[in-house]
Amino acid sequence: MAIVNRPWTEKEIEIVRDMWGTAASAAEIGKLLGRTKNSVIGRAHRMGLANAAKPQHAPITKPPRPAKARKPKERELSVPEIIPPPIDHIEIPEGVSFADLRANGCRWVIGNPEDLTCCGAPASHAGSAWCSHHRALVYVRPRKRDRSKLSKYYR
């Protein structure tokens, strides 16, 4: 077992100097002297031996992998196209109070929000809260992005 904080003797320093250039590892030298691997490395460094020619393993070189050509992926959003009917053909009712609103009635608030008067026209789709006219106002179709300006980032 290694002893901590023990001063180095001249004999130990001589052994480190002699064995450092051989094929012995710092751990083997430390085991022989009853010291840790790191204390032997530290002593060798302070003695100027740390950069001495130690047996090194040849670096493992792998052949370079061919680079894959990447193309930016264009995302296609599957948003159903909603074409609002012309406003001339829509009959918008005067309004229905929220309390009198049916389950499939349009919930678009008309006029003062404090009165809670809703459109009340039949909803355009099952599960929708608005008629086709107000649905066209609520849902805006996303515009296509021009990626040519970002081409330097997508190669």
Side-chain angles (χ1 to χ4, degrees), residues 120-136:
S124 61
H125 296 85
S128 177
W130 298 286
C131 63
S132 58
H133 171 69
H134 290 125
R135 184 178 173 90

Side-chain angles (χ1 to χ4, degrees), residues 85-130:
I87 296 177
D88 299 340
H89 300 283
I90 295 178
E91 294 181 20
I92 299 177
E94 292 292 320
V96 179
S97 70
F98 190 74
D100 297 334
L101 190 63
R102 293 186 178 186
N104 66 342
C106 177
R107 283 158 173 68
W108 185 270
V109 178
I110 298 173
N112 188 358
E114 291 177 3
D115 297 337
L116 277 181
T117 303
C118 297
C119 169
S124 61
H125 296 85
S128 177
W130 298 286

Side-chain angles (χ1 to χ4, degrees), residues 57-80:
H57 295 289
I60 299 172
T61 57
K62 293 182 180 179
R65 291 171 46 183
K68 293 181 180 178
R70 289 185 172 180
K71 289 184 185 178
K73 293 183 179 179
E74 295 268 342
R75 291 187 185 183
E76 290 293 326
L77 298 177
S78 60
V79 177

